[in-house]
Amino acid sequence: MNEPLKTRREREKQARYDAILDAAERAFSEKGYERTSMDDIARTASLSRALLYVYFKDKAAIQRDIMLRAGHSLSDRFRNARQTASTGLAQIRAMGESYYRFYLDEPDYFSALTKASTAMAEADETQAKEMLCSKSELMELMTEAIELGLEDGTMSRERIQNPEQTALYLRGALHGTILLCQSEASESGDSFPAESLIRHTMDMLSCSIAAS
């Protein structure tokens, strides 16, 4: 009898935890992270402030768990993207497309991951470990695709000496271009050819690692 009760309590705890993160995501999206208070999150989640602090010590801890959600969402996209292609080069291209789609579909998650490295330094040991595992999972998915590309001959062994380093380069280059598009679009509006530049970047990156 105790075991079902414990299981039910665990489910209730998980449901409340998820509700808090859902509420925080809405509050951050509507008011911005800096202007959102713990009281705002408690009200949005229909919880008392005291109960909120049972789950999270501060707003930053909530934001770090949202970053974990963002990382899991992107990992799912990368895994799904890899399944759409058979060669390593095509898988990397598909993952690049999914990263851009992630930015378009889930801009708050994209923004959260942009700040994850800084946030990780302030996390407690458990959160830091979870965030590091999430980051490692993303890089492993890319590295595996690059290793496949080297094996199937679609990627250049001369240009790729280190698959992990190449994965970092590819993600960093595309991420930087997306941030540039984000900045330029905010200044010039819809006239900035963001999608065209993203496609060009992915073409250039693909050419830089493709076998001759």
Side-chain angles (χ1 to χ4, degrees):
M1 184 173 180
N2 287 337
E3 188 60 32
L5 181 61
K6 179 182 177 182
T7 302
R8 187 174 69 247
R9 285 176 177 169
E10 288 175 346
R11 287 199 302 267
E12 291 172 351
K13 185 176 181 180
Q14 183 64 45
R16 189 169 287 121
Y17 165 86
D18 290 337
I20 290 171
L21 292 186
D22 290 343
E25 285 184 19
R26 291 196 299 274
F28 291 160
S29 180
E30 292 169 3
K31 299 184 66 173
Y33 175 78
E34 296 298 336
R35 293 191 299 274
T36 299
S37 67
M38 289 291 274
D39 284 338
D40 293 329
I41 297 170
R43 280 194 298 271
T44 305
S46 301
L47 297 174
S48 68
R49 194 167 184 268
L51 185 55
L52 177 59
Y53 277 103
V54 169
Y55 285 82
F56 294 97
K57 66 177 184 178
D58 55 27
K59 185 173 65 172
I62 296 175
Q63 176 70 337
R64 286 191 291 270
D65 271 15
I66 290 174
M67 290 172 181
L68 279 171
R69 272 189 170 185
H72 294 322
S73 176
L74 184 55
S75 291
D76 288 343
R77 286 174 179 264
F78 275 14
R79 272 191 294 272
N80 292 335
R82 285 192 63 191
Q83 293 174 2
T84 67
S86 58
T87 68
L89 185 62
Q91 286 183 9
I92 281 291
R93 177 71 186 226
M95 292 164 81
E97 296 274 359
S98 72
Y99 194 48
Y100 181 51
R101 179 55 55 187
F102 175 71
Y103 160 70
L104 294 176
D105 294 345
E106 303 182 273
D108 290 338
Y109 276 1
F110 178 86
S111 178
L113 285 185
T114 298
K115 304 167 187 171
S117 294
T118 302
M120 196 183 302
E122 302 171 356
D124 61 32
E125 184 177 352
T126 300
Q127 267 192 330
K129 184 176 181 180
E130 289 175 345
M131 293 174 77
L132 184 60
C133 287
S134 178
K135 181 179 179 181
S136 296
E137 184 179 15
L138 289 169
M139 297 314 300
E140 283 171 10
L141 288 166
M142 293 187 68
T143 300
E144 287 170 3
I146 293 169
E147 290 172 344
L148 174 61
L150 293 173
E151 292 172 6
D152 66 25
T154 56
M155 293 189 191
S156 171
R157 288 190 176 275
E158 292 181 0
R159 296 185 187 129
I160 300 174
Q161 303 299 320
N162 185 321
E164 292 182 0
Q165 189 177 60
T166 302
L168 282 170
Y169 152 69
L170 292 172
R171 185 182 172 193
L174 183 56
H175 184 81
T177 302
I178 292 174
L179 289 179
L180 173 64
C181 290
Q182 189 179 45
S183 175
E184 292 293 332
S186 67
E187 294 178 6
S188 57
D190 295 337
S191 61
F192 185 76
E195 184 158 346
S196 176
L197 180 57
I198 294 291
R199 302 296 174 198
H200 177 66
T201 299
M202 286 194 283
D203 288 342
M204 295 294 285
L205 291 174
S206 295
C207 288
S208 73
I209 59 174
S212 301

